[in-house]
Amino acid sequence: MSAGEGTHDREALEAAERLGRAERGAAGGAFEARVSAAAADAALSAWLDDLAAAEAGTPDAGFERRLLDAVAPATAPAPLRLATHGRAGRWAAAAAVLGLVAGGAWLAVRPGAPPEPREAGAALAQDMGLLLEMYEEPSWSVELVDLRSRAESVSDALGSPWQAFEAVSESLAEGAL
Amino acid sequence: MDEPAGPREAGVEPGEEALRVALAGAARGEERAWAALVGWYGRRVFALARSRVRDVDVAEDITQSVFTTVAAKLRDGGYAERGRFEAWLFRVAMNRVRDEVRRGRRRAVPGGDAVLHAGADHDLGDQAEQRRLELDRLRGALDGLGEADREVIELRHHAQMSFKAIAEHLDEPVGTVLARHHRALKKLRDVLQAAGAGGAA
């Protein structure tokens, strides 16, 4: 090995050492920066946790009770849900629905089912017409007029409505009218 | 109804099975199940609400409104997100809080807590007073964040949600949520330093 080579090697070694120190320093600085940032994050997080605990501890001891009381009305089952609550309730609800459907179907197809509304209306109109015809029948009118005249004559004769009523009743019983 | 959990027991994270049983019971209107849900989540929802509205009464009203909504949904079968109750609960809560803020019903102003506590200053020790002032600074710094940064911080710390639950809540990958949380903390630190309170961070 020549002196020049030795010098070169020494210089190379010194350069390598300088580079190594620089790299270690740079790496160490980044690491320290990361550690510092993490420590700062942890410190700030702890401070925020402290604040959150202070906020959460603000309400008095009755906080939970008031909260439960406020929630209680909303926890009550709704009426429909109450009717269908649980397995038995769901079966009952299903049976009720099936019953309604079956009942409706039976009413629609059963023998002697009531007439349709249009038919019922026609029947009613026919009945009304018959009633009017009966009322306007001449014999009916004659009988009414005859009865009224007889009652009036009796009433005039006796001078008392009650006695006239009695007389008419007797006449009716005797088949005079 | 059963005696609910007190403040000391409140906020304890329920196990998966315990939560499933409680939700089934709550859907049937069982008092014990509701006491458990209120014990686990009541003050966490309150803390989230109070972080935004500051006013204690309004925050409690919001909390009651959230739980009433949850009760009605559970009763009527409206909760269908199996295994994601926490994300669903705090989504309801955040929506309710935003509605409240949007309606302009926020009564307290930044720094309002200092006013509220001013009369009791003489009763506080120096240490407690110092802590109160630091918390007020932190509240003020939170007001300086944007909505997205503030949301991820409040979900993580006030609502005490896991990063997984926050990811479900925001419909984002967990890695994205972690990065968002880290960035939000950095911005909060910047706000605190700008306000001259960075030393505590």
Side-chain angles (χ1 to χ4, degrees), chain B residues 10 15 29 49 63 71 73 78 80 87 102 104 120 124 129-130 164 184-185 191 193:
Chain B
T63 307
K73 293 276 187 186
R102 200 175 295 129
L124 295 170
E129 173 63 8
Q130 181 64 28
K164 180 174 177 289
L185 288 180
V191 172
Q193 284 169 349

Side-chain angles (χ1 to χ4, degrees), chain B residues 5-61:
Chain B
R8 286 186 180 181
E9 295 80 18
V12 176
E13 189 74 21
E16 195 172 316
E17 179 62 14
L19 178 60
R20 190 191 63 75
V21 170
L23 289 175
R28 294 190 294 269
E30 292 176 6
E31 297 172 358
R32 183 179 295 274
W34 274 107
L37 288 176
V38 163
W40 290 328
Y41 296 108
R43 286 176 182 264
R44 290 164 63 181
V45 171
F46 175 88
L48 181 68
R50 198 188 173 220
S51 179
R52 294 292 180 104
V53 299
R54 296 289 179 82
D55 187 287
V56 173
D57 292 334
V58 176
E60 187 162 338
D61 285 347

